[in-house]
Amino acid sequence: MSLYEKHKDTLKKAIDAVHDRSFYAQYPEHPSPKIYGETADKDGQDKFKASLDKKFEDLLQTDPEAWIGQEESPYLQKPLGILYPSFSADTLINRSKKAWTQWRNTSIDDRAAILVESLDRFKERFFENAYATMHTTGQGYMMAFQASGPHAADRAMEAVAFGYDELKRFPEKKFWDKPMGKFNVQLNKSWKPMPKGLSMVVGCSTFPTWNSVPGLYASLITGNPCIVKPHPGAILPMAIVVSEIQKVLKENGIDPNVCQLAPDTYDKMITKDLAENKAIKLIDYTGSATFGNYLEGLDGKTVFTEKTGVNSVILDSAENIDKVAQNLAFSVCLYSGQMCTCPQNFFIPEDGINTPDGKVSFEDFAEKLVASINGLVDNPKAGPFVLGAIQNPNTLSHTEEAKKLGGKVWLESRSIANPMFEKARTATPIVVEMNASDEDKFTKELFGPVVLLIKTKDTNQSVDLASSLAENHGAISCAAYTTDENTKNLIMDKMGMAATSVSFNLTGAIHVNQNAGFSDFHVTGGNPAGNASLTNPEYLIKRFTWVGFREPA
């Protein structure tokens, strides 16, 4: 059985799912022994521990110019000691160029099969990857397993499915017969999707696989070789992914340099050396707006970005305000607010929030939110694992910055103990009251556990501020609570025009932070928070061009 025959049913299910938009998951998100094996967790943890303080030699990249690594565990606050093979930008570029001819001439079916096979191989390392993610990003165990493993793999599969579908959209060949009266003009025509060139993925420190594998697999399925430039603080998760891709490539007689890892260090980064090279045609990036804007401004590149934004919550009315407060408390605590979808600015009318039991005042809601946050973070069975750890010490400065905005501090940020890691770098959310007139103080993202409660004249002003912030400064998510249909339609229209997705009236087990592969479009690409969307057709079709060939029949 060919590799394509092995995976064609999986590929079809994924393609059907991206069109249907209903729930679909190729890789189970629950780390159950019944699914992954009785010893899978222990084996993964042992493998992670065995990788510490030594060279990472899983990659099929020969003759390294150096061995480097600067990762530090936010839980242990000490270096991991893992060293990775390092190469100059020129070496990486030259190897990609050499591998490109073979890859672009590999059939679409074979490319898809190789990529799906690599995801199945990655599945065997989900637990190892979970510990790698925990100790590079600070994510809690469950998030590290799900987001860096199954959810990331599903997003990669989604990119493969979309890419395969677009590459197969038109016939490869066609006999063209045009009647001309007494004779016909007849041509044999063919069309070929041609990849644009070498690609690179620039990873981030908080979600190293989830944010990197969609672009990586989108470029690979469309025939572009890819250089993966992970964040210096979070290399291991993507090193695992790249190593599995390389192994499957080699097993199928293809140069493993089709996909290369390009680790670097904080003091000697190679991102610009790669990005500015004329051979690099495609760039995927997640990170700060400043560097994202620089990449978008490079000539001759097609760039896909996810950048910083200011996410809002619009509170108008609710059936059960306590459940709302609990849901939002979890949302701001989850991974200590280090998610691009985490809400920051809460817009609340000065005369309160409508409920079936009457108005809930601004102050009463603030107290309910604070109580819900404290109830969560002080629960020893929940708080430490929901919060995780702070990836970058500089993130802590944002809680101090929020404190200096001048508003009433409803809740101070503090460190809590983690029963498993006594040196874990932790921080609970700070909650600060602001006024709508303080707009200049809440127009930027304060990355991390920061909540600003902004008192507005009414819901109309709340919607105007939230939509204006999204349009001018970017937003990836918006949570809205209203029981009024007209208000809901107003929010949908205003936030829709600001190209920001809205989650209405979420309570219980689903939160504004979460996006589902095969169903939710992550980022719209329509405001300053990013110019691309995971995953829509444009995310794939901009990576190749259709070229036609014709000759007399």
Side-chain angles (χ1 to χ4, degrees):
M1 179 188 294
S2 71
L3 201 58
Y4 176 72
E5 287 294 320
K6 176 182 177 181
H7 293 299
K8 70 176 183 179
D9 288 343
T10 296
L11 190 60
K12 183 182 184 304
K13 288 178 183 177
I15 292 170
D16 290 343
V18 298
H19 289 292
D20 185 63
R21 314 310 293 177
S22 58
F23 172 76
Y24 176 76
Q26 175 62 26
Y27 300 99
E29 69 177 6
H30 196 277
S32 168
K34 293 181 180 179
I35 298 171
Y36 289 99
E38 292 296 327
T39 64
D41 178 80
K42 183 182 183 301
D43 293 345
Q45 187 175 26
D46 289 346
K47 192 166 184 181
F48 164 72
K49 289 180 178 178
S51 69
L52 302 176
D53 299 312
K54 60 183 63 169
K55 292 178 178 179
F56 184 87
E57 297 186 298
D58 278 14
L59 297 167
L60 303 180
Q61 295 173 232
T62 59
D63 303 320
E65 294 155 22
W67 289 86
I68 61 173
Q70 292 181 334
E71 293 162 303
E72 178 186 279
S73 168
Y75 285 102
L76 306 174
Q77 293 204 52
K78 71 175 186 179
L80 298 186
I82 304 173
L83 299 176
Y84 303 90
S86 171
F87 305 87
S88 68
D90 286 342
T91 297
L92 293 163
I93 294 288
N94 288 336
R95 290 182 177 183
S96 273
K97 285 180 177 178
K98 185 178 178 182
W100 187 26
T101 300
Q102 186 183 22
W103 186 239
R104 70 174 180 260
N105 287 303
T106 300
S107 74
I108 298 167
D109 286 353
D110 288 343
R111 288 203 300 256
I114 286 168
L115 295 177
V116 175
E117 177 70 16
S118 73
L119 290 172
D120 281 359
R121 301 285 184 87
F122 175 43
K123 176 184 175 183
E124 301 302 313
R125 301 181 72 171
F126 279 174
F127 287 90
E128 176 193 357
N129 190 268
Y131 289 102
T133 300
M134 280 185 68
H135 288 284
T136 52
T137 71
Q139 291 178 27
Y141 171 79
M142 186 61 77
M143 175 177 280
F145 177 83
Q146 292 180 340
S148 219
H151 293 174
D154 276 344
R155 280 295 188 186
M157 179 72 79
E158 180 183 48
V160 173
F162 251 123
Y164 186 89
D165 203 34
E166 290 298 332
L167 293 166
K168 294 281 191 175
R169 178 178 290 275
F170 305 114
E172 292 182 16
K173 297 178 180 180
K174 197 70 178 179
F175 170 68
W176 190 79
D177 188 359
K178 179 183 178 180
M180 298 288 287
K182 294 183 179 180
F183 65 96
N184 287 13
V185 174
Q186 297 178 331
L187 297 173
N188 286 326
K189 295 187 176 185
S190 63
W191 300 270
K192 192 171 184 180
M194 298 300 295
K196 286 194 172 179
L198 275 56
S199 68
M200 69 178 292
V201 172
V202 184
C204 66
S205 62
T206 48
F207 285 89
T209 58
W210 197 98
N211 278 106
S212 293
V213 295
L216 167 60
Y217 278 78
S219 283
L220 291 176
I221 186 61
T222 49
N224 305 281
C226 191
I227 298 169
V228 178
K229 212 302 292 181
H231 190 282
I235 299 173
L236 183 56
M238 280 309 294
I240 291 170
V241 173
V242 171
S243 70
E244 292 306 314
I245 294 173
Q246 290 180 344
K247 291 171 189 174
V248 179
L249 288 167
K250 184 177 180 181
E251 287 171 13
N252 287 273
I254 295 172
D255 187 343
N257 288 306
V258 162
C259 179
Q260 298 177 83
L261 190 75
D264 60 5
T265 57
Y266 291 104
D267 55 331
K268 192 177 181 182
M269 302 185 79
I270 63 169
T271 315
K272 286 189 174 182
D273 291 340
L274 287 167
E276 293 176 3
N277 191 297
K278 65 180 182 179
I280 294 290
K281 300 298 183 183
L282 301 169
I283 302 174
D284 285 89
Y285 168 79
T286 303
S288 73
T290 301
F291 198 76
N293 293 339
Y294 149 76
L295 291 173
E296 289 175 357
L298 293 175
D299 291 334
K301 318 289 181 183
T302 300
V303 182
F304 306 86
T305 59
E306 178 187 323
K307 302 179 291 187
T308 50
V310 187
N311 301 323
S312 298
V313 178
I314 300 168
L315 287 150
D316 170 71
S317 52
E319 290 290 341
N320 187 320
I321 200 66
D322 292 317
K323 288 184 178 180
V324 171
Q326 291 163 10
N327 185 276
L328 291 173
F330 186 90
S331 294
V332 300
C333 289
L334 187 59
Y335 188 27
S336 303
Q338 297 171 104
M339 301 180 71
C340 61
T341 48
C342 182
Q344 173 182 296
N345 292 346
F346 287 49
F347 294 105
I348 308 168
E350 61 186 4
D351 68 345
I353 302 163
N354 291 318
T355 75
D357 300 318
K359 290 272 190 181
V360 173
S361 70
F362 180 99
E363 291 73 19
D364 285 346
F365 178 77
E367 290 175 354
K368 288 178 182 291
L369 181 66
V370 167
S372 294
I373 291 173
N374 283 332
L376 176 59
V377 301
D378 290 334
N379 182 340
K381 294 183 178 180
F385 310 104
V386 172
L387 288 173
I390 299 294
Q391 199 280 334
N392 188 330
N394 292 332
T395 299
L396 298 174
S397 67
H398 296 155
T399 61
E400 290 301 313
E401 190 176 344
K403 199 174 182 179
K404 295 174 183 177
L405 290 176
K408 176 182 177 179
V409 178
W410 282 89
L411 181 65
E412 295 270 8
S413 178
R414 55 193 168 92
S415 178
I416 66 166
N418 186 307
M420 297 180 67
F421 304 100
E422 63 179 22
K423 293 184 179 180
R425 184 166 52 235
T426 62
T428 65
I430 182 172
V431 180
V432 181
E433 178 180 333
M434 307 294 295
N435 287 306
S437 58
D438 299 321
E439 187 171 355
D440 60 319
K441 296 180 180 179
F442 56 77
T443 56
K444 76 171 184 176
E445 180 185 45
L446 294 171
F447 185 72
V450 175
V451 177
L452 304 181
L453 303 182
I454 302 161
K455 188 178 291 186
T456 62
K457 181 176 67 175
D458 53 28
T459 295
N460 285 334
Q461 187 182 32
S462 296
V463 177
D464 286 343
L465 284 169
S467 59
S468 175
L469 282 173
E471 184 176 352
N472 295 305
H473 302 280
I476 292 175
S477 71
C478 175
Y481 291 86
T482 182
T483 57
D484 180 77
E485 194 66 23
N486 290 332
T487 301
K488 178 182 176 183
N489 290 334
L490 172 69
I491 294 170
M492 290 177 68
D493 182 61
K494 288 270 192 163
M495 297 309 296
M497 290 302 295
T500 304
S501 299
V502 184
S503 299
F504 284 99
N505 302 323
L506 296 184
T507 57
I510 186 71
H511 302 87
V512 67
N513 318 60
Q514 300 162 323
N515 276 283
F518 301 100
S519 184
D520 294 318
F521 296 108
H522 176 70
V523 191
T524 63
N527 68 52
N531 70 1
S533 180
L534 306 182
T535 306
N536 63 13
E538 184 183 31
Y539 193 67
L540 279 301
I541 61 177
K542 292 174 75 173
R543 299 173 194 265
F544 67 92
T545 56
W546 285 104
V547 179
F549 307 92
R550 58 186 184 174
E551 61 184 351

